Amino acid sequence: MNGANSHELVAMGVAQPHGIRGEVKVVLYNEDSEFRWPGATLLFRVRENNSQGSPGREAADDIPLKVLRARSSTQVMLLTLEGVADRNAAEKLAGREIFVPRSALPELEDDEVYVGDLVGFEVHASGQKLGVVTDVRHYPTASCLVVPTLDGVFEVPVSEPYVVEVAMSDRVIHVAHLEDLEPVKE
């Protein structure tokens, strides 16, 4: 995974220790993902500002680890990783974001998109450009697009009623409104 750029890595979730035998719990960004975990090499990266960060930049403290076993639980995956044999080792991964090479992911349907691919898209409401997506932030209940506007920086949930349409060919996201969202403090 060394030298991978932002288009080669996709954020899958955030790691937390689980139990005393070194299992790692992954809080998934997309619990419906069909990613095949066993045998995959994951990149564990320190998160920046509770956001997806910059998947393309390589950091000295990135940790690549191979998945030996995986089992699913409610909205999480429980992983046994090569070289992580106890809770102390698993705790060193706590809070790190997990990335996988895009090539390891299933093919997307025509109407699907990885939310991280929306960075750089324009955001429009009622035919007016509001801003451009600069980042994606993942929370337990939603993934949000970070959109600086003239009225402040907004975190727009990637769901209805906010995101109405994603026009991939035009690189435009149409939103219904932002009236009930407050600008975030950066």
Side-chain angles (χ1 to χ4, degrees):
M1 274 193 241
N2 290 342
N5 69 40
S6 62
H7 297 292
E8 294 174 344
L9 295 176
V10 176
M12 298 293 287
V14 178
Q16 296 299 327
H18 178 79
I20 60 171
R21 294 192 174 107
E23 262 189 325
V24 173
K25 173 174 66 173
V26 179
V27 179
L28 298 170
Y29 294 148
N30 177 5
E31 63 190 71
D32 297 326
S33 173
E34 296 176 14
F35 180 69
R36 302 203 194 300
W37 296 89
T41 298
L42 310 177
L43 184 68
F44 289 77
R45 178 170 286 168
V46 174
R47 295 177 76 192
E48 298 176 358
N49 299 326
N50 197 29
S51 71
Q52 181 172 310
S54 303
R57 64 115 178 90
E58 203 171 317
D61 59 356
D62 284 354
I63 302 172
L65 293 168
K66 183 177 181 180
V67 178
L68 300 176
R69 285 184 300 284
R71 58 190 175 103
S72 63
S73 187
T74 308
Q75 296 182 340
V76 300
M77 287 299 295
L78 300 173
L79 307 178
T80 301
L81 301 166
E82 189 171 75
V84 181
D86 59 26
R87 176 134 186 132
N88 290 338
E91 285 177 350
K92 292 178 182 171
L93 301 173
R96 286 180 180 258
E97 193 160 30
I98 298 168
F99 291 88
V100 299
R102 179 180 296 277
S103 61
L105 296 172
E107 288 291 319
L108 291 173
E109 297 294 326
D110 288 339
D111 62 343
E112 294 179 321
V113 63
Y114 291 116
V115 70
D117 291 343
L118 299 177
V119 172
F121 276 50
E122 290 183 1
V123 176
H124 291 211
S126 302
Q128 300 280 342
K129 178 180 171 184
L130 300 177
V132 174
V133 177
T134 59
D135 199 2
V136 177
R137 295 187 180 152
H138 300 282
Y139 299 103
T141 57
S143 292
C144 296
L145 304 173
V146 178
V147 184
T149 72
L150 295 175
D151 297 322
V153 177
F154 288 87
E155 291 182 342
V156 181
V158 184
S159 62
E160 291 181 351
Y162 301 103
V163 174
V164 177
E165 178 190 12
V166 177
M168 293 299 292
S169 60
D170 297 330
R171 296 184 50 84
V172 173
I173 300 165
H174 297 278
V175 297
H177 59 82
L178 301 181
E179 288 85 25
D180 59 338
L181 298 177
E182 295 287 327
V184 296
K185 294 179 174 42
E186 291 289 308

XYZ file of all heavy atoms in Angstrom, residues 70-130:
463
model
N -12.371 -12.949 10.403
C -13.348 -11.872 10.562
C -14.701 -12.473 10.890
O -15.061 -13.525 10.355
C -13.439 -11.046 9.283
N -15.426 -11.806 11.763
C -16.803 -12.205 12.053
C -17.617 -10.933 12.237
O -17.122 -9.925 12.726
C -16.898 -13.131 13.257
C -16.346 -12.584 14.545
C -16.266 -13.682 15.616
N -15.624 -13.170 16.801
C -16.249 -12.811 17.908
N -17.566 -12.909 17.985
N -15.583 -12.350 18.940
N -18.859 -10.992 11.815
C -19.686 -9.793 11.889
C -20.550 -9.814 13.134
O -20.918 -10.857 13.653
C -20.558 -9.648 10.642
O -21.451 -10.729 10.547
N -20.825 -8.629 13.602
C -21.728 -8.395 14.712
C -22.565 -7.188 14.293
O -22.376 -6.659 13.206
C -20.923 -8.124 15.978
O -21.761 -8.060 17.103
N -23.435 -6.708 15.135
C -24.303 -5.596 14.783
C -23.486 -4.350 14.449
O -22.815 -3.800 15.305
C -25.275 -5.282 15.929
O -25.932 -6.493 16.291
C -26.299 -4.243 15.523
N -23.498 -3.927 13.199
C -22.848 -2.726 12.665
C -21.335 -2.701 12.842
O -20.708 -1.660 12.686
C -23.456 -1.457 13.272
C -24.903 -1.268 12.921
C -25.462 0.009 13.499
O -24.924 0.576 14.429
N -26.539 0.482 12.924
N -20.721 -3.831 13.173
C -19.270 -3.889 13.330
C -18.735 -5.197 12.761
O -19.472 -6.160 12.580
C -18.819 -3.764 14.810
C -19.276 -2.455 15.422
C -19.277 -4.942 15.636
N -17.428 -5.199 12.499
C -16.709 -6.429 12.165
C -15.714 -6.656 13.294
O -15.102 -5.703 13.796
C -15.936 -6.282 10.855
C -16.784 -6.268 9.618
S -17.744 -7.760 9.340
C -16.480 -8.966 9.070
N -15.565 -7.901 13.701
C -14.573 -8.273 14.703
C -13.463 -9.013 13.977
O -13.705 -10.032 13.325
C -15.205 -9.135 15.792
C -16.352 -8.455 16.543
C -17.037 -9.435 17.487
C -15.853 -7.238 17.301
N -12.242 -8.461 14.061
C -11.126 -8.966 13.280
C -10.023 -9.544 14.154
O -9.699 -8.987 15.211
C -10.517 -7.846 12.438
C -11.445 -7.050 11.531
C -10.663 -5.956 10.826
C -12.136 -7.969 10.539
N -9.427 -10.633 13.688
C -8.191 -11.161 14.244
C -7.118 -10.799 13.227
O -7.239 -11.145 12.040
C -8.269 -12.687 14.425
O -9.359 -12.984 15.299
C -6.972 -13.230 15.007
N -6.105 -10.066 13.694
C -5.089 -9.527 12.794
C -3.727 -10.176 13.060
O -3.383 -10.466 14.209
C -4.962 -8.014 12.993
C -6.245 -7.219 12.758
C -6.102 -5.809 13.310
C -6.575 -7.191 11.278
N -2.982 -10.369 12.005
C -1.638 -10.914 12.123
C -0.788 -9.992 12.991
O -0.735 -8.775 12.758
C -1.037 -11.037 10.722
C 0.267 -11.786 10.660
C 0.653 -12.036 9.209
O 1.099 -11.064 8.559
O 0.485 -13.165 8.743
N -0.147 -10.531 14.016
C 0.730 -9.747 14.880
C 0.030 -9.019 16.014
O 0.679 -8.329 16.787
N -1.284 -9.137 16.121
C -2.035 -8.497 17.210
C -2.593 -9.626 18.074
O -3.641 -10.186 17.770
C -3.159 -7.588 16.676
C -3.913 -6.923 17.816
C -2.586 -6.536 15.727
N -1.858 -9.948 19.153
C -2.169 -11.153 19.929
C -2.834 -10.894 21.272
O -3.285 -11.829 21.916
C -0.894 -11.963 20.139
N -2.882 -9.630 21.705
C -3.490 -9.360 23.013
C -4.111 -7.968 23.034
O -3.992 -7.201 22.083
C -2.459 -9.518 24.144
C -1.265 -8.586 24.002
O -1.393 -7.505 23.383
O -0.189 -8.930 24.513
N -4.783 -7.659 24.129
C -5.480 -6.378 24.250
C -4.525 -5.196 24.121
O -4.865 -4.182 23.510
C -6.240 -6.302 25.568
C -6.896 -4.938 25.774
C -8.281 -5.041 26.228
N -8.912 -3.733 26.280
C -10.088 -3.500 25.771
N -10.761 -4.462 25.173
N -10.641 -2.314 25.856
N -3.322 -5.301 24.696
C -2.357 -4.193 24.609
C -2.031 -3.851 23.160
O -1.963 -2.681 22.788
C -1.078 -4.530 25.382
C -1.304 -4.537 26.878
O -2.247 -3.925 27.381
N -0.449 -5.239 27.595
N -1.824 -4.866 22.350
C -1.537 -4.628 20.927
C -2.756 -4.030 20.229
O -2.622 -3.128 19.397
C -1.111 -5.926 20.256
N -3.953 -4.527 20.560
C -5.181 -3.997 19.944
C -5.421 -2.539 20.342
O -5.911 -1.749 19.540
C -6.373 -4.861 20.330
N -5.078 -2.184 21.579
C -5.277 -0.803 22.048
C -4.420 0.194 21.273
O -4.779 1.355 21.153
C -5.017 -0.708 23.542
C -6.152 -1.296 24.354
C -5.911 -1.283 25.857
O -4.775 -0.990 26.307
O -6.874 -1.563 26.588
N -3.294 -0.241 20.726
C -2.439 0.645 19.926
C -3.109 1.045 18.615
O -2.698 1.996 17.963
C -1.101 -0.019 19.656
C -0.266 -0.166 20.906
C 1.029 -0.870 20.641
C 1.789 -1.028 21.959
N 2.953 -1.868 21.819
N -4.165 0.320 18.238
C -4.896 0.622 17.002
C -6.163 1.438 17.270
O -6.825 1.873 16.330
C -5.273 -0.682 16.296
C -4.105 -1.585 15.924
C -4.615 -2.914 15.388
C -3.184 -0.902 14.933
N -6.488 1.637 18.550
C -7.735 2.314 18.931
C -7.838 3.696 18.287
O -6.903 4.492 18.339
C -7.836 2.440 20.447
N -8.981 3.958 17.659
C -9.255 5.256 17.066
C -8.656 5.453 15.686
O -8.920 6.462 15.027
N -7.850 4.514 15.242
C -7.277 4.648 13.894
C -8.334 4.342 12.847
O -9.176 3.479 13.028
C -6.090 3.707 13.710
C -4.859 4.175 14.455
C -3.715 3.201 14.245
N -2.534 3.641 14.943
C -1.497 4.234 14.358
N -1.502 4.428 13.059
N -0.457 4.614 15.069
N -8.243 5.046 11.751
C -9.143 4.809 10.633
C -8.539 3.702 9.765
O -7.320 3.615 9.610
C -9.322 6.085 9.825
C -10.456 6.011 8.864
C -10.928 7.394 8.446
O -10.123 8.333 8.406
O -12.116 7.509 8.149
N -9.412 2.876 9.217
C -8.972 1.729 8.434
C -9.259 1.987 6.961
O -10.383 2.323 6.583
C -9.696 0.456 8.902
C -9.325 0.186 10.354
C -9.346 -0.716 8.009
C -10.182 -0.862 10.997
N -8.210 1.827 6.153
C -8.313 2.001 4.708
C -7.995 0.688 4.005
O -7.204 -0.113 4.509
C -7.325 3.063 4.217
C -7.659 4.455 4.649
C -7.196 4.959 5.852
C -8.447 5.282 3.851
C -7.504 6.245 6.257
C -8.764 6.564 4.248
C -8.290 7.054 5.450
N -8.614 0.495 2.854
C -8.311 -0.660 2.001
C -8.051 -0.150 0.594
O -8.552 0.908 0.208
C -9.455 -1.699 1.994
C -9.701 -2.250 3.377
C -10.721 -1.134 1.399
N -7.285 -0.901 -0.176
C -7.088 -0.506 -1.573
C -8.415 -0.591 -2.328
O -9.179 -1.538 -2.137
C -6.109 -1.539 -2.121
C -5.556 -2.251 -0.943
C -6.535 -2.099 0.169
N -8.689 0.371 -3.140
C -9.918 0.384 -3.938
C -10.043 -0.898 -4.761
O -11.130 -1.434 -4.936
C -9.920 1.600 -4.861
C -11.151 1.696 -5.758
C -11.092 2.915 -6.634
N -11.117 4.131 -5.870
C -12.217 4.711 -5.406
N -13.379 4.177 -5.648
N -12.155 5.813 -4.715
N -8.923 -1.419 -5.223
C -8.944 -2.630 -6.052
C -9.476 -3.846 -5.289
O -9.892 -4.824 -5.909
C -7.547 -2.922 -6.595
O -6.643 -3.133 -5.511
N -9.480 -3.802 -3.952
C -9.971 -4.926 -3.147
C -11.482 -4.871 -2.927
O -12.068 -5.815 -2.407
C -9.267 -4.939 -1.793
N -12.113 -3.781 -3.326
C -13.547 -3.609 -3.096
C -14.367 -4.166 -4.250
O -13.900 -4.221 -5.390
C -13.869 -2.122 -2.912
C -13.232 -1.485 -1.684
C -13.445 0.020 -1.712
C -13.781 -2.079 -0.410
N -15.616 -4.549 -3.946
C -16.495 -5.033 -5.022
C -16.790 -3.926 -6.032
O -16.740 -2.743 -5.696
C -17.783 -5.431 -4.289
C -17.528 -5.314 -2.844
C -16.259 -4.552 -2.653
N -17.103 -4.326 -7.247
C -17.493 -3.364 -8.277
C -18.770 -2.639 -7.853
O -19.665 -3.241 -7.267
C -17.744 -4.071 -9.607
C -16.484 -4.556 -10.280
C -15.614 -3.433 -10.782
O -16.154 -2.447 -11.333
O -14.391 -3.528 -10.605
N -18.848 -1.359 -8.173
C -20.039 -0.572 -7.862
C -21.075 -0.715 -8.973
O -20.727 -0.880 -10.137
C -19.673 0.912 -7.728
C -18.821 1.299 -6.527
C -18.412 2.761 -6.635
C -19.560 1.039 -5.231
N -22.329 -0.606 -8.593
C -23.412 -0.540 -9.577
C -23.382 0.856 -10.205
O -22.740 1.770 -9.681
C -24.767 -0.774 -8.898
C -24.910 -2.149 -8.266
C -24.909 -3.282 -9.274
O -25.435 -3.082 -10.389
O -24.369 -4.359 -8.960
N -24.080 1.047 -11.298
C -24.078 2.335 -12.000
C -24.572 3.482 -11.124
O -24.127 4.616 -11.279
C -24.930 2.268 -13.267
C -24.256 1.433 -14.346
O -23.020 1.253 -14.279
O -24.961 0.959 -15.248
N -25.497 3.222 -10.201
C -26.065 4.280 -9.370
C -25.399 4.377 -8.004
O -25.905 5.018 -7.102
C -27.577 4.078 -9.205
C -27.915 2.769 -8.501
O -27.033 1.882 -8.433
O -29.048 2.642 -8.022
N -24.222 3.755 -7.833
C -23.521 3.775 -6.553
C -22.240 4.586 -6.646
O -21.657 4.748 -7.717
C -23.176 2.355 -6.100
C -24.376 1.501 -5.765
C -23.980 0.095 -5.351
O -23.039 -0.471 -5.950
O -24.615 -0.429 -4.427
N -21.789 5.075 -5.483
C -20.560 5.853 -5.394
C -19.983 5.668 -3.995
O -20.732 5.486 -3.038
C -20.828 7.352 -5.700
C -21.771 7.965 -4.690
C -19.544 8.130 -5.778
N -18.675 5.670 -3.895
C -18.052 5.691 -2.575
C -18.102 7.129 -2.089
O -17.740 8.059 -2.822
C -16.611 5.190 -2.639
C -16.529 3.708 -2.934
C -15.937 3.242 -4.098
C -17.056 2.777 -2.047
C -15.873 1.892 -4.377
C -16.998 1.420 -2.317
C -16.408 0.981 -3.480
O -16.357 -0.352 -3.748
N -18.561 7.326 -0.858
C -18.780 8.676 -0.349
C -17.487 9.499 -0.383
O -17.517 10.694 -0.636
C -19.434 8.644 1.057
C -18.480 8.149 2.110
C -19.974 10.002 1.432
N -16.349 8.882 -0.191
C -15.076 9.599 -0.262
C -14.787 10.172 -1.635
O -14.038 11.133 -1.781
N -15.406 9.596 -2.669
C -15.216 10.092 -4.035
C -15.952 11.403 -4.286
O -15.786 12.018 -5.335
C -15.682 9.050 -5.053
C -14.781 7.828 -5.078
O -13.643 7.905 -4.569
O -15.217 6.796 -5.617
N -16.781 11.834 -3.335
C -17.550 13.070 -3.512
C -16.745 14.323 -3.151
O -17.197 15.444 -3.409
C -18.840 13.007 -2.690
C -19.790 11.871 -3.085
C -21.009 11.855 -2.168
C -20.197 11.976 -4.542
N -15.568 14.158 -2.571
C -14.711 15.309 -2.284
C -14.352 15.972 -3.608
O -13.966 15.309 -4.568
C -13.442 14.884 -1.512
C -12.470 16.053 -1.379
C -13.817 14.334 -0.142
N -14.540 17.288 -3.671
C -14.282 18.050 -4.894
C -15.538 18.316 -5.707
O -15.509 19.123 -6.628
N -16.644 17.651 -5.381
C -17.907 17.895 -6.087
C -18.510 19.225 -5.644
O -18.376 19.613 -4.475
C -18.924 16.786 -5.777
C -18.787 15.558 -6.632
C -17.565 14.924 -6.803
C -19.899 15.014 -7.257
C -17.447 13.790 -7.581
C -19.795 13.873 -8.041
C -18.560 13.259 -8.205
N -19.171 19.915 -6.573
C -19.916 21.124 -6.224
C -21.224 20.710 -5.561
O -21.792 19.661 -5.888
C -20.231 21.950 -7.473
C -19.022 22.593 -8.086
C -19.372 23.474 -9.274
O -20.571 23.605 -9.628
O -18.429 24.036 -9.858
N -21.700 21.555 -4.635
C -22.988 21.325 -3.980
C -23.922 22.446 -4.408
O -23.594 23.629 -4.265
C -22.834 21.288 -2.448
C -24.185 21.140 -1.774
C -21.903 20.147 -2.040
N -25.091 22.049 -4.957
C -26.072 23.008 -5.448
C -27.398 22.821 -4.722
O -27.784 21.699 -4.402
C -26.328 22.811 -6.941
C -25.179 23.173 -7.812
N -25.353 23.651 -9.080
C -23.837 23.130 -7.633
C -24.178 23.893 -9.641
N -23.244 23.569 -8.776
N -28.095 23.944 -4.491
C -29.468 23.925 -3.966
C -30.262 24.950 -4.760
O -29.801 26.085 -4.960
C -29.494 24.261 -2.478
N -31.415 24.563 -5.218
C -32.288 25.438 -6.007
C -31.546 26.093 -7.161
O -31.710 27.280 -7.444
C -32.912 26.514 -5.110
O -33.638 25.923 -4.070
N -30.670 25.325 -7.821
C -29.949 25.826 -8.984
C -28.773 26.724 -8.659
O -28.094 27.195 -9.567
N -28.511 26.990 -7.386
C -27.400 27.861 -6.969
C -26.254 27.028 -6.401
O -26.482 26.098 -5.631
C -27.864 28.840 -5.891
C -28.978 29.761 -6.305
C -28.450 30.935 -7.118
O -27.275 31.237 -7.109
N -29.339 31.584 -7.850
N -25.024 27.384 -6.751
C -23.862 26.710 -6.170
C -23.673 27.216 -4.744
O -23.558 28.415 -4.506
C -22.611 26.988 -7.000
C -21.356 26.363 -6.421
C -20.140 26.669 -7.267
C -18.869 26.229 -6.578
N -17.674 26.599 -7.344
N -23.627 26.274 -3.777
C -23.401 26.635 -2.375
C -21.928 26.563 -2.007
O -21.447 27.326 -1.174
C -24.184 25.699 -1.449
C -25.696 25.681 -1.609
C -26.309 24.659 -0.678
C -26.264 27.066 -1.344
